[in-house]
Amino acid sequence: MKPRIILSYAIILLLVCAAIYPALWIVMSSFKVGDSLYSESLIPKALTFDHYKELFTSKRHAYATWYKNTLFIAVMSTIIGSFLTLLGSYAIARFRFYGRKQSLMVMLVMNMFPGFMAMIAIFILLLQLNMLDNHWALILVYSSGAFITNVFVAKGFYDTIPRSLEEAARIDGASHFTVFYRVILPLSTPMLTYISLVVFSGSWVDFIFARLILRSQDKITLAVGLYNMVSQRNSTEFTLFAAGAVLLSIPVFVLYFWLQKYLVEGLTAGASKG
Amino acid sequence: MPNHAIRASLLSVLFMGFGQLYNRQVIKGLLLLLIGATGLTASILYLFDNIHGLITLGDQSRQLVKVGKVVKAVDGDHSIFMMVQGLISLLAFLGWLGIYLLNIRDSYIVGKRRVGGFKPNNFKQSVHHVLERNFAYVILFIPFIFALFLNILPLLFSILIAFTNYAAPVLPPANLLDWVGFETFKNLVTLKTWSRTFYGVFTWTIIWAVLSTATTFIGGILVAVLINQREIKLKRVWRTLLIIPFAIPNLVSLLVFRNLLNTEFGPINQYLSWFGLGQLPWLTDPMWARVTVIGVNMWLGIPVIMILVSGILTTIPRDMYESAEVDGATKWQLFRKITMPMVMFSTAPVLIMQFAGNINNFNVIFLLTDGNPLVSGYQYAGATDLLVTWLYKLTLTNRQYNFSAVIGIIIFVLVATLSIYNYRKTRSYREDDIIQ
């Protein structure tokens, strides 16, 4: 082998180590005896499942409830968010109507403001509607956010689908609803997969809005609970956090690996087509 | 033959729905009548008060009132609620006005068709007509309502805040707010305490955005090229392993790094001490913290760029390289003259998007350092704070709402400039010509 290739392999191996080390470390920490950050070696001398058990039995952390809350919020946001994006982007990509350019412009501008700028306003609105500490409030915020951020990716996707399919169906006398349901929806699978994945993982791990809106311990999500676990000063529950973090990561990790192809396509589409 | 078009539209001007009733479209007419009546009542009852509130932001402040023998504080006007109510009323009124105009237009059109000898549609036909002709509006309605109340309205409200004096200690309901025009903008750049922080944070935001984008991009391209070499075996395996950071939620990986890099107990410093090296203040020294956040960001960002670039590399025709090799080009020349231009051509839009995204990269900074370590003389900010994290702190911890709104607007200007530049160059917008 040429020296260049040997060197290349060496660098690749080094990079692989760097890439998997943090993941390996957190998994190992979650099986470690004790509760401290400090450990003598990467692979602990004794392994234990106690931290996982503690998550679900401990009185202080309602981990099972958090998991349930998060699952509910993420699934509902994904459904509603994808639904909104689907409708909105289809209308904008396919129909020419009065106010179309203005709506596109408005959505473009909305995307350029930092996401939390509207935070105070949302907080006050929810306070007025008496909807703080309510899961639906969070679901609504995530769904509309998903619509605004993903509508351009979805529009770009529809721009690439030839119109001839719909036109043929229309000539055969199908109504707009039928065309949408029978022709467009089945074709939208790759785009829908991408959007639901992004929305799901986004709402699964978000702690900013969740922390703002959800107040009581039995309402909060995993991300908020975990963030509280490590962000408090003198937190001495590092291994418990590790176990919680591993469980939080698993669904997203599996989905990302499984649906990698769509993610990359979506990323490129979002960037090059707007 | 009476002129139905003129009569019907005049009747609709008089009151919503009258024209439709005249055109014998009973259900439509009654529906519009209902909307008209509700809108009118609501306008009379609330609109002027609420608009007045929006303009004055209240004129009754909290005062002490003697009730019997005790003195009690009685809440006056709550400026923020008045602002929200005023804004909602204004939007609702504009919406209602829109329906009113459409109603006149509709009576006119139907009336005209009647003159032409057509029978007006019954309600079922009208609905069918709307579904066929205005399908876009029908399916846009729900997303529009969502966006209006959860995105547009809050954003408008936040922009308005920038022009008030809403900042601790002036907080409703104890105090009334006032419109102050551009004073907060001026204060941010002229008041010594604020301007120092602003220029510092702004400069770091730009440096951060440039460096973090450049490092992940160059890193991603190099890794992709490294693996793509002809002689490297198991390409797929390497790529899959290297993509792991991308699949771990940011929240988790960043909190993990925060602990890994802990100065006293973190394993990284532990390993360093095994090699007889001193402990490094990864996240506690201003300069080191800045280096660390950029390094950790590379860990997060390189995988994505690597996959993107790997995809592009496979599309570069092999014979381009082969003919260049025949002409005696070195590896470096191949990279410079073939690979780089091809990659840059396809990824330039991503590059600009990433740059804009990095200006707003909240997670990396907030989860890793909280914006710390603190810098003396900074107003509520630390050495690694970006404009967005500063905005967040100003809102949630320090309640300097007007300053945070101003910063939000500044970020908007930055990102908008970049995005417009980007969008002008990409296809779907050129087709759409929304930006010229």
Side-chain angles (χ1 to χ4, degrees):
Chain A
M1 254 197 291
K2 280 184 257 175
R4 178 168 58 85
I5 300 304
I6 296 171
L7 188 69
S8 300
Y9 273 119
I11 297 174
I12 291 173
L13 275 175
L14 208 68
L15 288 171
V16 169
C17 288
I20 59 176
Y21 171 71
L24 201 66
W25 180 71
I26 194 77
V27 173
M28 285 306 157
S29 299
S30 72
F31 291 119
K32 201 173 65 184
V33 182
D35 57 10
S36 75
L37 180 56
Y38 185 86
S39 87
E40 268 148 32
S41 55
L42 178 61
I43 296 160
K45 298 204 173 72
L47 294 175
T48 169
F49 272 103
D50 283 356
H51 307 303
Y52 289 93
K53 254 183 262 162
E54 196 190 334
L55 280 178
F56 290 94
T57 52
S58 153
K59 290 269 183 307
R60 284 187 309 117
H61 306 293
Y63 196 83
T65 319
W66 299 348
Y67 219 96
K68 215 178 63 208
N69 292 344
T70 314
L71 198 63
F72 174 71
I73 291 172
V75 168
M76 292 315 284
S77 310
T78 309
I79 295 172
I80 300 175
S82 313
F83 176 72
L84 295 178
T85 316
L86 191 72
L87 290 185
S89 57
Y90 178 65
I92 283 175
R94 278 303 200 261
F95 295 92
R96 296 291 176 268
F97 51 90
Y98 178 76
R100 176 175 174 274
K101 279 184 185 173
Q102 288 80 350
S103 335
L104 268 172
M105 199 66 203
V106 167
M107 283 189 287
L108 196 62
V109 168
M110 308 265 329
N111 270 316
M112 295 170 192
F113 276 97
F116 339 103
M117 192 161 160
M119 211 164 45
I120 336 161
I122 288 178
F123 182 75
I124 291 170
L125 274 175
L126 293 173
L127 187 74
Q128 271 215 313
L129 296 170
N130 209 4
M131 274 180 77
L132 279 183
D133 209 16
N134 182 324
H135 287 165
W136 279 102
L138 200 57
I139 293 171
L140 292 182
V141 171
Y142 288 153
S143 312
S144 66
F147 167 59
I148 291 288
T149 41
N150 290 314
V151 70
F152 283 106
V153 179
K155 175 189 168 288
F157 173 82
Y158 283 127
D159 285 343
T160 63
I161 296 184
R163 279 162 198 263
S164 52
L165 287 165
E166 293 144 85
E167 275 157 13
R170 289 286 290 165
I171 289 167
D172 291 345
S175 73
H176 280 300
F177 267 119
T178 319
V179 172
F180 182 68
Y181 187 72
R182 287 284 160 100
V183 182
I184 295 302
L185 211 54
L187 286 173
S188 312
T189 328
M191 189 267 289
L192 268 181
T193 315
Y194 168 75
I195 288 173
S196 14
L197 191 56
V198 175
V199 181
F200 181 84
S201 57
S203 41
W204 186 262
V205 298
D206 173 72
F207 68 101
I208 300 161
F209 275 100
R211 212 153 69 105
L212 184 75
I213 291 173
L214 306 174
R215 295 307 166 99
S216 46
Q217 275 290 312
D218 59 332
K219 286 279 171 68
I220 60 171
T221 58
L222 275 179
V224 180
L226 277 184
Y227 180 76
N228 292 344
M229 259 190 210
V230 283
S231 68
Q232 281 152 5
R233 294 218 174 277
N234 325 319
S235 84
T236 49
E237 303 179 301
F238 182 72
T239 44
L240 194 64
F241 158 77
V246 170
L247 288 185
L248 171 99
S249 311
I250 287 173
V252 175
F253 192 83
V254 170
L255 284 174
Y256 267 48
F257 256 89
W258 180 34
L259 302 168
Q260 214 186 84
K261 188 176 71 126
Y262 297 104
L263 269 174
V264 177
E265 275 168 14
L267 274 171
T268 356
S272 61
K273 300 195 192 81
Chain B
M1 188 79 176
N3 193 339
H4 292 306
I6 301 293
R7 282 193 197 175
S9 36
L10 282 178
L11 278 168
S12 273
V13 172
L14 195 65
F15 203 90
M16 265 167 86
F18 278 11
Q20 282 73 14
L21 290 175
Y22 171 82
N23 283 335
R24 303 197 189 113
Q25 296 182 303
V26 182
I27 302 181
K28 200 205 256 174
L30 287 177
L31 274 175
L32 284 170
L33 205 67
L34 193 71
I35 297 174
T38 324
L40 204 63
T41 339
S43 300
I44 292 166
L45 288 179
Y46 306 113
L47 184 69
F48 294 104
D49 276 354
N50 286 347
I51 300 281
H52 179 76
L54 180 63
I55 294 167
T56 60
L57 294 180
D59 26 42
Q60 181 76 44
S61 65
R62 179 187 273 183
Q63 41 185 214
L64 301 173
V65 178
K66 222 172 175 184
V67 186
K69 283 189 178 160
V70 275
V71 177
K72 267 168 73 178
V74 172
D75 276 353
D77 294 330
H78 194 300
S79 303
I80 287 302
F81 290 167
M82 294 184 95
M83 204 155 136
V84 175
Q85 279 161 355
L87 209 55
I88 294 178
S89 307
L90 199 64
L91 285 178
F93 179 70
L94 288 177
W96 183 75
L97 211 61
I99 302 177
Y100 180 65
L101 292 176
L102 283 176
N103 135 71
I104 298 171
R105 179 171 170 266
D106 174 73
S107 317
Y108 180 78
I109 293 172
V110 176
K112 207 167 172 190
R113 283 173 61 85
R114 282 178 71 190
V115 175
F118 291 97
K119 222 171 142 291
N121 286 338
N122 63 27
F123 192 62
K124 210 175 145 192
Q125 285 167 325
S126 298
V127 171
H128 184 76
H129 179 78
V130 168
L131 285 183
E132 283 304 299
R133 285 290 305 278
N134 296 321
F135 187 68
Y137 291 118
V138 175
I139 57 174
L140 262 179
F141 183 71
I142 305 174
F144 173 74
I145 294 293
F146 264 77
L148 183 68
F149 281 96
L150 291 157
N151 299 92
I152 298 175
L153 189 71
L155 196 61
L156 283 178
F157 173 81
S158 304
I159 294 170
L160 288 182
I161 295 270
F163 301 95
T164 67
N165 58 348
Y166 187 17
V170 184
L171 297 173
N175 310 84
L176 287 178
L177 300 183
D178 281 312
W179 294 109
V180 295
F182 281 92
E183 206 177 291
T184 317
F185 290 79
K186 225 175 70 198
N187 286 347
L188 189 68
V189 288
T190 52
L191 280 189
K192 197 94 206 248
T193 42
W194 284 100
S195 67
R196 195 168 160 224
T197 323
F198 174 67
Y199 290 128
V201 173
F202 185 87
T203 318
W204 163 238
T205 305
I206 299 296
I207 296 175
W208 150 265
V210 171
L211 286 182
S212 57
T213 313
T215 48
T216 47
F217 236 78
I218 296 169
I221 292 174
L222 289 180
V223 176
V225 170
L226 188 72
I227 295 179
N228 206 49
Q229 293 179 94
R230 211 174 312 155
E231 298 89 339
I232 299 287
K233 301 269 174 354
L234 301 172
K235 287 190 174 66
R236 268 187 66 112
V237 177
W238 301 127
R239 277 189 203 128
T240 313
L241 285 172
L242 285 175
I243 209 174
I244 284 176
F246 173 64
I248 302 172
N250 268 0
L251 171 80
V252 169
S253 47
L254 288 167
L255 287 176
V256 166
F257 267 107
R258 187 189 184 128
N259 286 298
L260 273 174
L261 296 165
N262 185 305
T263 311
E264 286 164 67
F265 308 109
I268 304 279
N269 271 348
Q270 202 180 308
Y271 302 144
L272 285 181
S273 64
W274 285 345
F275 293 110
L277 297 164
Q279 299 191 326
L280 284 174
W282 295 107
L283 298 168
T284 44
D285 171 80
M287 204 54 222
W288 271 109
R290 287 176 175 174
V291 175
T292 310
V293 287
I294 288 177
V296 172
N297 187 64
M298 284 174 78
W299 186 87
L300 292 172
I302 285 180
V304 187
I305 303 294
M306 180 201 75
I307 325 175
L308 276 181
V309 175
S310 296
I312 297 162
L313 289 181
T314 53
T315 64
I316 303 178
R318 179 127 276 180
D319 46 346
M320 275 174 98
Y321 288 108
E322 277 160 7
S323 53
E325 272 172 344
V326 171
D327 291 344
T330 61
K331 284 275 169 198
W332 172 244
Q333 280 172 327
L334 294 182
F335 179 73
R336 274 277 318 274
K337 302 283 178 192
I338 301 175
T339 314
M340 271 317 271
M342 293 296 270
V343 169
M344 284 317 286
F345 178 73
S346 330
T347 51
V350 188
L351 188 76
I352 299 170
M353 292 289 283
Q354 289 244 328
F355 185 81
N358 275 325
I359 291 180
N360 276 323
N361 204 331
F362 180 85
N363 272 5
V364 174
I365 302 296
F366 189 78
L367 291 174
L368 216 52
T369 65
D370 275 331
N372 293 330
L374 290 173
V375 176
S376 65
Y378 265 24
Q379 190 88 327
Y380 313 120
T384 51
D385 259 321
L386 302 178
L387 287 171
V388 263
T389 52
W390 192 32
L391 183 158
Y392 183 82
K393 286 180 178 175
L394 286 177
T395 309
L396 283 191
T397 5
N398 306 301
R399 301 197 279 178
Q400 302 289 318
Y401 302 110
N402 55 354
F403 280 104
S404 65
V406 169
I407 292 165
I409 292 173
I410 292 169
I411 298 175
F412 164 73
V413 173
L414 266 178
V415 175
T417 319
L418 280 170
S419 307
I420 288 171
Y421 173 78
N422 200 17
Y423 289 141
R424 279 175 78 162
K425 301 195 135 196
T426 51
R427 207 178 44 120
S428 83
Y429 287 88
R430 216 176 291 151
E431 278 172 2
D432 261 278
D433 54 67
I434 56 169
I435 296 166
Q436 288 299 324

